[in-house]
Amino acid sequence: MRLTQWTDYALRVLMYCAACQDREQPVTISEVAEAHAISRSHLTKIVQQLAAQGLLDTTRGRGGGMRLMRPANEINVGAIVRMTETDFDMVECFNPELNQCRMSSHCRLQGVLADATRAYLAVLDALSVADLVAPLPAAAQAGRAAVQPVRWVPGLPQVLRGF
């Protein structure tokens, strides 16, 4: 399963805000856009949706920006993914209206993929946004660094250096 760019960016906004929740000034859309090389106008639409869902408090004007409306440990990653993704149909037989598969009556693929989707969402349901920005244990950092070098993105809060 692949998440849409919308969901990816929504999670990045929430994670960035979580990483900055202790600082005095709010996070700005421009700040997140620059840190992740994302279109500011695209991020604005995502922030509007997150605010409408009660996840972000936004303030316009000079000194404005956005903050999490709830503690990061109360924002469930699985709920965010369900909110931002529109299609969990792995194959056409998931949707009876569009299904044209001639094997549907004696195929087990739909059941297997439905189980896989439930397992995927169960993993996300076990995580909060706070979990996504928590520092990695030293052992995990050492193993992860050996597999894939971490590239620091200028402008990202210091707490995210482990990513």
Side-chain angles (χ1 to χ4, degrees), residues 14-37:
L14 293 171
M15 291 169 63
Y16 198 101
C17 289
C20 297
Q21 66 187 355
D22 292 333
R23 77 180 198 192
E24 192 173 316
Q25 69 276 22
V27 171
T28 66
I29 291 173
S30 295
E31 180 183 345
V32 177
E34 183 180 320
H36 291 289

Side-chain angles (χ1 to χ4, degrees), residues 59-79:
T59 307
R60 292 179 174 231
R62 188 179 190 107
M66 58 190 161
R67 295 186 186 279
L68 296 177
M69 286 192 70
R70 296 183 292 198
N73 65 347
E74 293 179 13
I75 301 174
N76 183 271
V77 174

